[in-house]
């Protein structure tokens, strides 16, 4: 059996469809973000990163860096084990307290990534609660879908951001079945924000648990960075709030927050928590420093919003089509995988602009896009350079302009 041939056949199909992923090799330099050193032969030595999920540049913040360095000096590098077997440091406990406080919950539980926290929590809830039903928004992230799949419980898909459809589907279920409504606040590909209050009200009407993914909102929304649920005053009505340390907080890891009993339940039964090495204490210390800073500072959030608004305004002025949404995510629609890859390559090679093409299966075929995430460290000159480059390429590639 020629396994390599089997692998190559499917890889070649990906390439032919324009969906083969190519990684840009970059070297971030402290204090220079969003500039980065490119190690690719087909790119300038320095590029501007326009697709980072380090939304506020906190991975470059002196407080965060210093907390990590000081903890490595005092504790060393790795955690040394799972949380159960020698891997729980005071830094993990302190971080979980910060996270519980951030969302106004009794407890929090750390994971190695946001993907793992969704997979582990949803699979555990669905498999351990007798006769559970998970009702999942149609556009939920792959990590949530994977968790639901592994739960092997009854699942129901409801129309994206449609509380009325959720209401109908909850009403059709047995009254005594444990129901879990799983949804996101900010959806990362289109940048839309859920009608959270309406969803919560529908769930409460049917006695359902609410499971909210705030991965693309924590740090960015709310007076202290608690996410859209904090901004809208709904955090206390949501059963479980899940988030990440790897985006706006500039570090690594995922987490859930909720009641003491809920977090202890996941801690005690989730294989994705029990059998994996804990995140390094230095990462936990850095994340705690980032969270503490963003609880007190709105400077980064306000600067980010200003640059998001500026880029949107200039794109509109040039007729470059992008999805209008209330979030910080700006998807510029290409709708062709080959052109999307080509535009990204030209932007990198000729303009020193790095944006990753977003193709299938991350987004449906025919909705390919370049996804821009302006941050507080992007300058006005960076934005002008980007818009000018897109304007030139739009003409060269004969792409459709937005209708005024």
């Amino acid at each position: 059996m020629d396994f390599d041939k089997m692998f190559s056949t499917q890889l070649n199909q990906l390439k032919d469809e324009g969906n083969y992923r190519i990684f840009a090799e970059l070297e971030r330099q402290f204090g220079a973000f969003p500039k980065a050193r490119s190690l690719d032969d087909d790119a300038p030595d320095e590029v501007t990163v326009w697709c980072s999920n380090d939304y506020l540049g906190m991975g470059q913040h002196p407080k965060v860096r210093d907390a990590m360095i000081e903890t490595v000096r005092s504790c060393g590098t790795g955690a040394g084990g799972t949380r159960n077997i020698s891997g729980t440091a005071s830094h993990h406990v302190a971080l979980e307290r910060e996270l519980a406080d951030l969302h106004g919950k009794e407890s929090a539980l750390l994971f190695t990534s946001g993907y793992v926290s969704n997979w582990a929590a949803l699979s555990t809830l669905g498999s351990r609660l007798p006769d559970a039903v998970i009702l999942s928004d149609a556009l939920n992230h792959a990590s949530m879908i994977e968790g639901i799949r592994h739960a092997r419980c009854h699942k129901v898909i409801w129309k994206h951001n449609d509380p009325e459809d959720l209401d109908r589907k909850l009403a059709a279920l047995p009254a005594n079945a444990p129901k879990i409504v799983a949804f996101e606040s900010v959806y990362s590909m289109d940048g839309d924000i859920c009608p959270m209050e309406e969803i919560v009200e529908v769930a409460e009407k049917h006695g359902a648990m609410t499971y909210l993914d705030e991965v693309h909102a924590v740090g960015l929304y709310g007076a202290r960075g608690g996410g859209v649920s904090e901004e809208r005053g709904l955090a206390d009505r949501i059963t479980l709030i899940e988030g990440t340390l790897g985006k706006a907080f500039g570090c690594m890891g995922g987490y859930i927050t909720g009641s003491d009993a809920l977090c202890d339940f996941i801690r005690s039964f989730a294989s994705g928590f029990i059998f994996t090495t804990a995140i390094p204490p230095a990462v936990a210390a850095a994340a705690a420093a980032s969270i503490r800073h963003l609880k007190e500072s709105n400077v980064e959030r306000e600067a980010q919003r200003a640059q998001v608004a500026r880029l949107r305004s200039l794109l509109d002025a040039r007729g470059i089509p992008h999805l209008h949404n209330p979030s910080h995510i700006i998807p510029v629609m290409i709708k062709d995988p080959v052109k999307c890859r080509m535009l990204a390559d030209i932007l990198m090679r000729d303009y020193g602009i790095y944006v990753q093409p977003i193709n299938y299966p991350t987004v449906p075929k025919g909705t390919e896009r370049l996804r821009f995430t302006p941050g507080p460290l992007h300058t006005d000159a960076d934005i002008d350079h980007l818009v000018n480059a897109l304007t030139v390429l739009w003409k060269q590639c004969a792409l459709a302009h937005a209708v005024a």
Side-chain angles (χ1 to χ4, degrees):
M1 185 78 66
D2 189 344
F3 288 103
D4 279 350
K5 184 177 180 181
M6 295 169 69
F7 302 149
S8 296
T9 298
Q10 294 193 40
L11 288 170
N12 289 334
Q13 183 179 349
L14 267 185
K15 293 174 182 177
D16 292 342
E17 293 170 347
N19 293 323
Y20 182 74
R21 290 175 170 85
I22 299 170
F23 297 160
E25 187 178 356
L26 304 174
E27 186 176 290
R28 286 159 60 105
Q29 297 171 308
F30 185 81
F33 187 77
K35 307 295 182 187
R37 181 173 169 238
S38 172
L39 302 178
D40 292 343
D41 293 336
D42 294 333
D45 290 341
E46 183 180 81
V47 299
T48 302
V49 180
W50 275 101
C51 53
S52 174
N53 285 340
D54 187 357
Y55 291 132
L56 298 176
M58 292 302 293
Q60 301 282 302
H61 198 285
K63 288 182 183 177
V64 179
R65 176 198 61 178
D66 292 348
M68 182 174 284
I69 291 171
E70 288 166 12
T71 308
V72 168
R73 284 177 175 154
S74 63
C75 296
T77 53
T82 65
R83 289 290 297 275
N84 184 49
I85 304 175
S86 83
T88 294
S90 60
H91 305 87
H92 298 115
V93 177
L95 174 54
E96 286 172 339
R97 287 176 181 152
E98 287 288 349
L99 289 165
D101 173 76
L102 177 67
H103 294 293
K105 299 297 185 186
E106 292 177 344
S107 290
L109 190 66
L110 285 171
F111 293 84
T112 50
S113 72
Y115 189 103
V116 173
S117 56
N118 268 333
W119 172 82
L122 281 166
S123 64
T124 302
L125 290 167
S127 63
R128 298 290 307 189
L129 296 177
D131 303 315
V133 182
I134 299 179
L135 297 100
S136 178
D137 183 287
L139 293 188
N140 275 343
H141 188 263
S143 59
M144 301 175 80
I145 295 169
E146 191 72 8
I148 295 167
R149 181 181 294 124
H150 279 264
R152 296 183 179 178
C153 65
H154 183 47
K155 68 177 179 182
V156 175
I157 309 299
W158 48 285
K159 293 178 184 176
H160 177 54
N161 281 348
D162 189 337
E164 292 181 1
D165 188 53
L166 174 63
D167 189 23
R168 285 190 295 270
K169 287 176 174 170
L170 278 166
L173 295 170
N176 61 346
K179 305 169 190 70
I180 303 162
V181 175
F183 61 107
E184 301 181 40
S185 56
V186 179
Y187 286 82
S188 61
M189 288 301 110
D190 288 350
D192 53 332
I193 297 178
C194 75
M196 191 175 295
E197 185 171 10
E198 292 89 336
I199 292 170
V200 170
E201 287 175 350
V202 169
E204 289 174 343
K205 172 184 171 183
H206 295 277
M209 171 183 172
T210 42
Y211 183 111
L212 173 63
D213 177 319
E214 286 264 39
V215 160
H216 290 274
V218 290
L220 302 171
Y221 300 86
R224 302 193 310 153
V228 177
S229 56
E230 181 195 23
E231 183 179 70
R232 299 185 181 178
L234 295 167
D236 63 324
R237 295 170 63 184
I238 294 166
T239 316
L240 184 155
I241 297 175
E242 183 268 352
T244 186
L245 306 170
K247 293 182 170 58
F249 294 129
C251 295
M252 177 188 175
Y255 64 88
I256 62 164
T257 63
S259 68
D260 286 338
L262 169 58
C263 291
D264 196 18
F265 180 79
I266 302 298
R267 182 190 72 87
S268 299
F269 292 113
S271 63
F273 175 83
I274 295 169
F275 297 107
T276 192
T277 300
I279 63 172
V283 173
S290 182
I291 293 165
R292 283 193 294 268
H293 176 82
L294 289 173
K295 283 178 179 177
E296 302 292 333
S297 174
N298 273 314
V299 172
E300 294 81 8
R301 287 188 280 271
E302 289 170 357
Q304 185 213 33
R305 287 166 192 161
Q307 297 309 71
V308 169
R310 189 170 195 277
L311 178 54
R312 287 190 189 281
S313 176
L314 290 177
L315 291 174
D316 285 339
R318 302 290 179 90
I320 296 173
H322 60 99
L323 293 183
H324 290 271
N325 60 55
S327 78
H328 57 285
I329 294 166
I330 305 179
V332 170
M333 305 307 291
I334 311 299
K335 300 182 179 180
D336 178 279
V338 175
K339 285 185 178 179
C340 199
R341 173 80 260 174
M342 178 184 68
L343 284 171
D345 289 345
I346 296 172
L347 285 168
M348 185 80 145
R349 183 191 68 217
D350 296 348
Y351 296 93
I353 291 169
Y354 171 49
V355 60
Q356 190 69 19
I358 307 294
N359 292 342
Y360 178 83
T362 306
V363 295
K365 291 180 180 179
T367 68
E368 293 80 11
R369 67 204 59 191
L370 301 175
R371 177 183 175 275
F372 295 94
T373 54
L377 301 179
H378 285 103
T379 65
D380 288 354
D382 290 333
I383 293 174
D384 292 343
H385 180 57
L386 169 62
V387 174
N388 289 336
L390 288 173
T391 302
V392 171
L393 292 181
W394 234 251
K395 292 177 181 177
Q396 288 179 352
C397 299
L399 293 167
H401 282 75
V403 178

